[in-house]
Amino acid sequence: MKKMKREGILIVISGFAGTGKGTIVKELIAGHDNYALSVSMTTRNPRPGEENGVAYFFVSREEFEKTIAEDGLVEYASYCDNYYGTPKSYVEQKLQEGKDVILEIEIQGALKIKEQFPKSLLLFVVPPSAEELKRRLVGRGTETMDVVEKRMRRAAEEAQGMEQYDYIVVNDDLAKCVEQTHAIIEAAHAKPFRNAEFLDKLKTELKEMAKGE
Ligand code: ADP
Ligand code: 5GP
């Protein structure tokens, strides 16, 4: 008997701005073919080098609100004066294909996902220290000092919600962090409730075999 195609997991990856979520997700996708990354919609301006449809779908407030009204988003939230949301169709399609769909989203959205999809897996990436977080945020060089300060204050607020996640991943050594993240996801696939169909089939076969003896 062969094991059936595995069910895709909806994975949320959150963490303070500058922790390294984007870097980790890029490495995960480059190293494994089971992942699909959801591209969010946002009203914030593109940073240098960010392409429309790759980093985000960059839209106006009007377009964003129209998408909300059309029920086109799985979740959305307001973060540092901008809207961010997860388009519905891509997530549904990729989960159906058996892919592990990654949402790189903040905590309000993460909690909405857990409510709607109780089987989702919520990971929170943390830096080794607050000092290192600020160093990375400044070092990335994509924000003004004003925005860096705003995001550091936001980190202190977001830290209050870390315990609501399923797992914490420390991003100190990048390669180790990526390996650990993948290992957590693989372990999640081994949960009995994600293999219900296979286990039922196996039980039936065992019963049949016991009868025949
Ligand atoms: P986020 O997506 O969480 O905002 P990024 O992935 O953009 O963060 O990373 C922020 C900065 O930190 C980038 O300049 C990135 O190269 C750097 N970085 C990411 N992971 C590590 C790490 N483990 N050690 C040192 N620097 C890192
Ligand atoms: P940034 O502006 O740094 O790209 O993202 C700011 C924050 O918004 C990050 O914490 C990021 O994870 C989050 N974010 C990105 N896309 C979405 C989304 O679709 N929904 C929600 N709720 N948060 C998002």
Side-chain angles (χ1 to χ4, degrees):
M1 183 176 71
K2 271 220 285 340
K3 189 167 176 326
M4 306 170 180
K5 187 174 110 180
R6 69 184 196 175
E7 197 177 287
I9 302 181
L10 186 55
I11 301 159
V12 169
I13 298 190
S14 300
F16 319 125
T19 305
K21 302 178 296 295
T23 310
I24 295 163
V25 167
K26 222 181 272 165
E27 296 277 320
L28 273 180
I29 289 171
H32 309 275
D33 60 9
N34 55 305
Y35 297 114
L37 175 64
S38 159
V39 177
S40 295
M41 190 178 266
T42 186
T43 57
R44 87 149 159 75
N45 291 324
R47 294 186 189 127
E50 281 185 336
E51 256 182 78
N52 190 28
V54 179
Y56 283 102
F57 294 106
F58 296 100
V59 299
S60 64
R61 285 193 90 79
E62 291 69 31
E63 278 174 88
F64 199 101
E65 282 164 359
K66 188 166 166 268
T67 313
I68 298 173
E70 289 168 354
D71 197 26
L73 301 174
V74 185
E75 62 72 38
Y76 68 92
S78 179
Y79 177 96
C80 295
D81 307 327
N82 280 299
Y83 275 137
Y84 293 80
T86 307
K88 206 179 248 180
S89 53
Y90 180 85
V91 169
E92 288 177 348
Q93 185 198 324
K94 292 294 166 186
L95 282 176
Q96 254 174 18
E97 288 173 17
K99 293 278 186 190
D100 294 325
V101 180
I102 300 178
L103 311 183
E104 200 196 308
I105 65 178
E106 53 65 69
I107 186 163
Q108 306 165 69
L111 298 178
K112 285 183 211 157
I113 290 290
K114 195 70 185 177
E115 244 177 65
Q116 272 187 73
F117 302 88
K119 283 158 87 178
S120 58
L121 181 66
L122 268 53
L123 309 181
F124 198 94
V125 185
V126 293
S129 67
E131 201 185 318
E132 174 62 15
L133 176 65
K134 189 161 182 185
R135 198 176 304 133
R136 287 185 195 169
L137 205 46
V138 173
R140 188 169 66 184
T142 49
E143 270 95 0
T144 59
M145 254 346 259
D146 197 33
V147 174
V148 167
E149 296 302 338
K150 200 168 177 178
R151 290 189 171 218
M152 286 302 293
R153 281 197 296 277
R154 177 75 187 207
E157 282 168 35
E158 282 183 346
Q160 301 303 319
M162 294 188 289
E163 283 86 357
Q164 296 181 72
Y165 281 70
D166 295 314
Y167 292 94
I168 294 297
V169 191
V170 183
N171 182 20
D172 191 352
D173 178 85
L174 179 65
K176 274 196 196 142
C177 175
V178 170
E179 197 183 312
Q180 193 194 2
T181 306
H182 183 65
I184 290 171
I185 297 163
E186 285 303 300
H189 275 288
K191 286 275 189 188
F193 75 84
R194 280 190 228 278
N195 295 275
E197 208 181 321
F198 172 64
L199 295 186
D200 283 348
K201 191 161 175 272
L202 189 57
K203 278 187 215 163
T204 309
E205 286 185 2
L206 286 167
K207 255 191 220 154
E208 292 293 317
M209 205 171 271
K211 260 192 239 161
E213 273 169 8

